[in-house]
Amino acid sequence: MLQIANAFFKLPGDYLKPEDEEISGFKERLNERLAPVGTQFSGEGVNEDWEIADTLAQWWRPNFETFMYPFIPAHVTRPKECKKLYFIQLPRQSMDPPSTASHLLTYGY
């Protein structure tokens, strides 16, 4: 989780283009946001150790309303948006926080 302010937390996420493959797109976005600062643009040491596991949830937005559903309603042929939540294991290497305005919170077991 990212801590933006004292009482505001959010999950790191981003949008993928429709033509992007999910797994490689996730790895690209995670490298852009969570990779150490010196290596993310130079191409050296880019992290490919992300373990992308199961899909935890999937919601559909049928049109321009704010509600999302865990299923595609029967009357909808082409939904506006699909939002997926994946379980992604962070690698053991250290990573820099995304910016100085936010903190990366991790919990170990």
Side-chain angles (χ1 to χ4, degrees):
M1 287 190 119
L2 297 174
Q3 182 179 4
I4 306 298
N6 286 340
F8 184 71
F9 299 91
K10 75 177 224 176
L11 293 171
D14 204 355
Y15 290 97
L16 294 177
K17 296 176 184 173
E19 63 271 4
D20 289 346
E21 185 181 331
E22 285 185 0
I23 303 301
S24 62
F26 292 154
K27 289 181 180 182
E28 264 183 51
R29 296 294 191 265
L30 288 167
N31 284 330
E32 287 173 5
R33 299 214 175 192
L34 298 176
V37 176
T39 61
Q40 65 180 341
F41 298 112
S42 64
E44 300 171 10
V46 174
N47 195 351
E48 291 292 328
D49 294 336
W50 302 102
E51 294 179 31
I52 299 173
D54 297 329
T55 304
L56 299 177
Q58 182 172 351
W59 295 282
W60 298 91
R61 186 183 316 273
N63 49 27
F64 292 98
E65 61 188 26
T66 57
F67 302 113
M68 295 191 83
Y69 303 98
F71 57 89
I72 300 175
H75 67 282
V76 176
T77 58
R78 193 170 211 178
K80 176 184 173 268
E81 180 183 4
C82 174
K83 189 177 282 192
K84 295 180 182 181
L85 181 67
Y86 282 85
F87 180 76
I88 300 176
Q89 184 74 32
L90 293 175
R92 292 209 174 264
Q93 293 90 355
S94 62
M95 290 176 283
D96 292 338
S99 69
T100 57
S102 62
H103 301 284
L104 179 65
L105 302 176
T106 60
Y107 296 98
Y109 52 90

